[in-house]
Amino acid sequence: MTRIQDVLLQYREICSFCDSFDVRVRTAFPSQIACRPGCAHCCTLKTVCALEAFGIRLHLKRAGCRLVPAAQAYTSDGEPLCPFLADGRCAVYAARPVICRTHGLPLVVPGEKEPDCCPLNFTAHSVRALDTSYLLDVTRLTKNLIRLNIAFCMLLDDRGLSGMRYRMTDVLAGALPGVLLRAAALS
Ligand code: SF4
Ligand code: SF4
């Protein structure tokens, strides 16, 4: 029988895949990646699935970290910033969600004909000219994440959780369903 730890292991494999992809792109195109600590215009994530909310709460528990909600901050365009952003850095970097690990990478996005990328990156080298091996397939990543999230929620005996999204502000405050908090406390 699949256990929560097995699902978590597979989730970490998805995260590691994104991180390795990031290293490969940075190594091949060092002058085309502007991502750096303190640059955080992309940190506008609002919600996550149950598995990723669990992963962040588990990380906070293991790190013995108690984060206090701060006043809402905004990008220069007025978009709300993620509450885990503190002094321009991610407070849960090691446990950041999958989508955060794709920030700045050349992406093949569902429904888009052309690859996409943060406008601060690949300014002197069009992502359209990249070999497909440097394009991250978001559809595939998303499918794997959905599959794992369903498996996780079924292990918690609550399939309904898999259709829910949890606000990052609630993840930070620990305002999540008891079954998720109990699973994080016991893992
Ligand atoms: S979780 Fe971290 S990396 Fe992701 S949006 Fe929030 S601050 Fe940024
Ligand atoms: S993806 Fe763009 S906004 Fe985000 S860190 Fe990289 S360069 Fe900065």
Side-chain angles (χ1 to χ4, degrees):
M1 182 175 150
T2 310
R3 296 173 305 122
I4 287 178
Q5 292 308 323
D6 296 328
V7 172
L8 208 48
L9 200 62
Q10 290 180 57
Y11 173 67
R12 289 193 177 129
E13 282 171 8
I14 296 179
C15 293
S16 298
F17 171 80
C18 294
D19 296 347
S20 302
F21 201 96
D22 182 82
V23 169
R24 208 158 66 76
V25 172
R26 283 172 188 265
T27 304
F29 304 97
S31 65
Q32 298 305 308
I33 302 290
C35 300
R36 66 190 187 288
C39 184
H41 308 292
C42 53
C43 282
T44 55
L45 184 62
K46 291 173 183 58
T47 62
V48 284
C49 66
L51 175 58
E52 297 205 287
F54 164 80
I56 292 172
R57 292 306 310 180
L58 183 60
H59 170 78
L60 291 173
K61 186 201 85 170
R62 289 182 175 170
C65 184
R66 285 178 65 90
L67 297 177
V68 180
Q72 177 67 60
Y74 297 87
T75 66
S76 51
D77 298 331
E79 198 171 347
L81 283 163
C82 172
F84 285 101
L85 193 66
D87 297 326
R89 290 169 186 259
C90 178
V92 287
Y93 191 76
R96 67 198 187 288
V98 167
I99 192 170
C100 303
R101 296 168 193 267
T102 71
H103 288 166
L105 293 173
L107 306 174
V108 176
V109 182
E112 296 292 334
K113 283 186 187 152
E114 303 287 353
D116 196 15
C117 192
C118 171
L120 300 179
N121 289 348
F122 285 88
T123 51
H125 188 302
S126 170
V127 288
R128 277 173 281 177
L130 286 174
D131 182 271
T132 53
S133 65
Y134 292 112
L135 300 176
L136 190 58
D137 182 350
V138 175
T139 303
R140 198 167 137 228
L141 269 186
T142 306
K143 276 186 183 165
N144 282 332
L145 185 56
I146 290 171
R147 179 181 57 78
L148 278 183
N149 186 46
I150 291 172
F152 171 70
C153 293
M154 288 180 75
L155 282 170
L156 295 184
D157 212 14
D158 194 339
R159 175 76 157 77
L161 289 180
S162 65
M164 305 295 289
R165 301 286 300 176
Y166 299 97
R167 295 188 307 167
M168 291 301 264
T169 45
D170 290 339
V171 178
L172 187 148
L176 296 170
V179 65
L180 278 183
L181 295 175
R182 278 194 297 279
L186 294 171
S187 295

